[in-house]
Amino acid sequence: VCAFIECRGVAARHMLSRDKVLTIDTMNPTVKNVEYAVRGPIVQRAMQVEKELREGVKKPFTEVIKANIGDAHAMGQKPITFFRQVLALCSYPELLNENMFPEDAKNRARRILQACGGSSVGAYSASQGIDCVRQDVARYIERRDGGVPCDPDNVYLTTGASDGIVTMLKLLVCGEGASRTGVMISIPQYPLYSAALAELGAVQVNYYLNEEKCWSMDLSELERSLAEARKHCNPKALCIINPGNPTGQVQSRQCIEDVIRFAAKERLFLMADEVYQDNVYAEGCQFHSFKKVLFELGPEYSDNVELASFHSTSKCYMGECGFRGGYMEVINMDPEVQAQLSKLVSVRLCPPVPGQVLMDLVVNSPQPGEPSYTTFMKERTATLSLLAEKAKLTEQILNTVPGITCNPVQGAMYSFPNIISLSLPPQALGQAPDMFYCMKLLEETGICLVPGSGFGQKDGTYHFRMTILPPTDKLKILLAKVKEFHQKFTQQYS
């Protein structure tokens, strides 16, 4: 009996120590190719440094200033009062009986709750989103685009813009070998695109923005990129971020017209990431939606070019990243494909309902004559004005640093300065020079930036991305520290 028990024990221990089913060698190989610099090793180290500071470890600084990500509220931006009032009322409807909320906020909350199952934001919504919210989005798009019609059936509410972008890429990607889908993305780019394409096994087709012309798009570069890509894949889509991330440019109307004509000629599906559409600061710059320009070019284009455009509650003056609200509008999509899109979004049941509520408030904000209008406009204007000031401040101070050049921050929430005197040999350190630069900056100053190599850049050039979101006093400290560090760094390594 003892021998039997011992034998059983050995067998059990053998089973417990056997190889795991899921290992680094047996996992999905495309996931291993995914990289996301915005939350990469620099940020992970920044979190460790913060922990060390809390534990009393002595550093040459007292706090970590994170300028790595466009998280407005984390940087101290205040929420819009009206938005939070309606969200509170929807989350806890008993507050509708209180006198502390304005009547227009209560009316919005009642309308939205009536459209929710069981009059609760805790219920699932339709997979495409709450019907009245999609109608409000459609009316917003029509107002924004000067009366160009918008069908609510072409509007899909999403879990932030990222969810809509990845969903569209899933529909586009197919094939193997030379027939694999290629997707044209700008370099520098927002790493969501490269990460999603890697995960989906698609081919990333790079086209370079023109840094010498304030990161504008260049038609000849698009043509070069497409011709090269067609030698080894099947390019099907062209992605544009406008206003730009990480580069902060606002594309001109002429540029958008050129891109639409190019897409029509080359039979490319257009994806317009327009989440920063209210973040335009530079004099002479204006946001033009791809849809508006498409329709103004006439039926030759508006009846044929396939377009998906994206917006979000996370940016602009709202900065409500955590609620994960957004929408996607599709134009000229094949009806059979659109049926597949509806099926695909239904698999995830629905976007977060509080995010849908917030999206509704963005597209259906207080109007003149309503009790909340004055406060809303004051808060909105103040937020955007402050961002415009910080955009100018960032450009001006960085351009006083010998060895750094910074294009005007025309829009969005970032600058992407060129570290022109960075000449550190990568082989000496086993990492990209701009990664070494940013890591050393973090360790010596507590400033957390993202190296340009995480977004893509022309060979031989080095950049970093920083957000303009920190409060003005902290932004000035940040820029002063970067200036001091850069001068010391170049003396040491030049």
Side-chain angles (χ1 to χ4, degrees):
V1 172
C2 290
F4 174 76
I5 293 172
E6 183 178 351
C7 181
R8 288 287 298 273
V10 170
R13 286 195 297 276
H14 175 72
M15 288 185 68
L16 289 171
S17 63
R18 72 183 183 183
D19 290 342
K20 294 186 181 297
V21 172
L22 183 61
T23 70
I24 197 70
D25 295 320
T26 63
M27 68 176 285
N28 182 344
T30 63
V31 174
K32 290 187 282 186
N33 296 327
V34 172
E35 295 182 1
Y36 190 64
V38 174
R39 294 179 182 265
I42 293 278
V43 184
Q44 292 166 17
R45 176 57 189 150
M47 293 170 69
Q48 292 174 350
V49 171
E50 282 186 315
K51 184 172 182 287
E52 290 169 7
L53 285 171
R54 289 194 299 269
E55 292 171 349
V57 177
K58 296 298 182 185
K59 303 276 184 185
F61 49 86
T62 58
E63 67 171 335
V64 172
I65 301 179
K66 292 180 181 175
N68 62 292
I69 193 167
D71 190 349
H73 292 185
M75 292 286 103
Q77 183 175 308
K78 299 300 181 186
I80 297 295
T81 301
F82 181 78
F83 293 172
R84 289 301 183 89
Q85 286 174 334
V86 178
L87 284 163
L89 290 162
C90 287
S91 299
Y92 191 58
E94 289 189 22
L95 292 173
L96 288 165
N97 300 319
E98 302 295 328
N99 295 323
M100 59 188 296
F101 295 96
E103 201 58 37
D104 54 345
K106 290 183 177 182
N107 290 336
R108 300 297 170 84
R110 291 187 186 102
R111 176 174 178 261
I112 292 168
L113 287 171
Q114 286 171 4
C116 295
S119 296
S120 172
V121 291
Y124 288 129
S125 76
S127 298
Q128 198 168 338
I130 299 170
D131 186 59
C132 72
V133 177
R134 290 191 296 110
Q135 291 175 16
D136 286 346
V137 169
R139 282 190 284 267
Y140 162 81
I141 292 171
E142 288 183 1
R143 289 194 306 272
R144 182 198 67 186
D145 293 343
V148 175
C150 177
D151 185 346
D153 287 341
N154 291 334
V155 172
Y156 294 77
L157 301 183
T158 57
T159 309
S162 301
D163 173 52
I165 291 163
V166 173
T167 298
M168 280 308 312
L169 290 174
K170 285 181 179 179
L171 289 175
L172 284 157
V173 172
C174 66
E176 296 180 358
S179 69
R180 268 203 309 167
T181 295
V183 178
M184 300 179 69
I185 66 170
S186 62
I187 297 296
Q189 53 106 20
Y190 177 51
L192 163 70
Y193 292 90
S194 55
L197 294 175
E199 183 180 353
L200 294 170
V203 178
Q204 176 179 319
V205 178
N206 296 339
Y207 66 88
Y208 290 92
L209 299 176
N210 190 331
E211 184 169 8
E212 288 70 35
K213 294 184 179 178
C214 204
W215 300 112
S216 63
M217 293 179 71
D218 189 315
L219 195 57
S220 62
E221 170 60 12
L222 289 177
E223 292 168 344
R224 178 208 64 79
S225 172
L226 183 64
E228 285 293 316
R230 282 181 169 156
K231 296 175 184 177
H232 60 87
C233 69
N234 178 24
K236 287 166 62 176
L238 170 59
C239 300
I240 304 98
I241 309 173
N242 181 51
N245 177 9
T247 41
Q249 85 286 1
V250 179
Q251 299 294 359
S252 69
R253 182 194 165 85
Q254 183 60 54
C255 169
I256 294 171
E257 286 186 13
D258 291 344
V259 169
I260 290 171
R261 291 190 176 99
F262 173 77
K265 175 187 170 187
E266 302 295 348
R267 298 190 69 248
L268 295 170
F269 191 108
L270 276 177
M271 294 177 61
D273 181 340
E274 299 174 332
V275 302
Y276 298 98
Q277 57 190 257
D278 288 324
N279 297 113
V280 177
Y281 317 122
E283 190 174 339
C285 289
Q286 182 181 349
F287 170 74
H288 301 278
S289 79
F290 266 78
K291 182 186 178 185
K292 183 174 188 286
V293 177
L294 175 66
F295 275 77
E296 288 176 351
L297 286 175
E300 177 187 356
Y301 298 96
S302 61
D303 290 347
N304 296 294
V305 174
E306 295 154 84
L307 169 68
S309 58
F310 310 90
H311 195 15
S312 168
T313 64
S314 300
K315 309 302 177 184
C316 300
Y317 62 93
M318 303 85 72
E320 295 279 13
C321 303
F323 280 100
R324 310 309 300 132
Y327 74 73
M328 166 176 69
E329 183 191 12
V330 295
I331 305 293
N332 293 324
M333 179 173 277
D334 183 288
E336 292 183 336
V337 174
Q338 194 159 347
Q340 295 297 314
L341 170 58
S342 296
K343 178 184 73 176
L344 190 57
V345 299
S346 71
V347 172
R348 291 195 296 267
L349 297 176
C350 71
V353 173
Q356 296 185 51
V357 173
L358 186 57
M359 191 77 255
D360 186 77
L361 302 174
V362 171
V363 300
N364 186 23
S365 56
Q367 297 301 302
E370 292 186 311
S372 300
Y373 177 75
T374 301
T375 299
F376 168 77
M377 288 303 297
K378 181 180 178 181
E379 292 175 344
R380 181 187 189 279
T381 302
T383 298
L384 292 174
S385 297
L386 187 57
L387 286 170
E389 290 173 16
K390 292 191 284 190
K392 192 68 177 174
L393 178 71
T394 300
E395 174 202 344
Q396 288 175 339
I397 293 180
L398 287 175
N399 279 323
T400 67
V401 184
I404 291 180
T405 60
C406 180
N407 272 319
V409 183
Q410 297 176 329
M413 298 175 171
Y414 316 96
S415 65
F416 198 68
N418 190 319
I419 320 170
I420 57 178
S421 60
L422 189 61
S423 56
L424 201 63
Q427 64 271 21
L429 297 155
Q431 58 185 315
D434 49 7
M435 171 65 84
F436 177 80
Y437 178 97
C438 288
M439 192 65 80
K440 202 161 181 62
L441 175 70
L442 172 64
E443 298 290 354
E444 293 187 11
T445 69
I447 304 297
C448 180
L449 307 178
V450 189
S453 50
F455 301 88
Q457 54 198 347
K458 281 189 175 179
D459 289 343
T461 69
Y462 303 104
H463 303 77
F464 59 78
R465 187 191 83 160
M466 61 164 284
T467 177
I468 63 171
L469 287 171
T472 304
D473 56 344
K474 281 193 180 181
L475 183 62
K476 288 179 178 177
I477 293 170
L478 183 158
L479 292 167
K481 285 188 173 186
V482 168
K483 182 174 184 176
E484 181 182 355
F485 169 83
H486 186 81
Q487 292 169 330
K488 177 183 169 186
F489 184 93
T490 50
Q491 287 172 4
Q492 184 175 356
Y493 292 102
S494 61

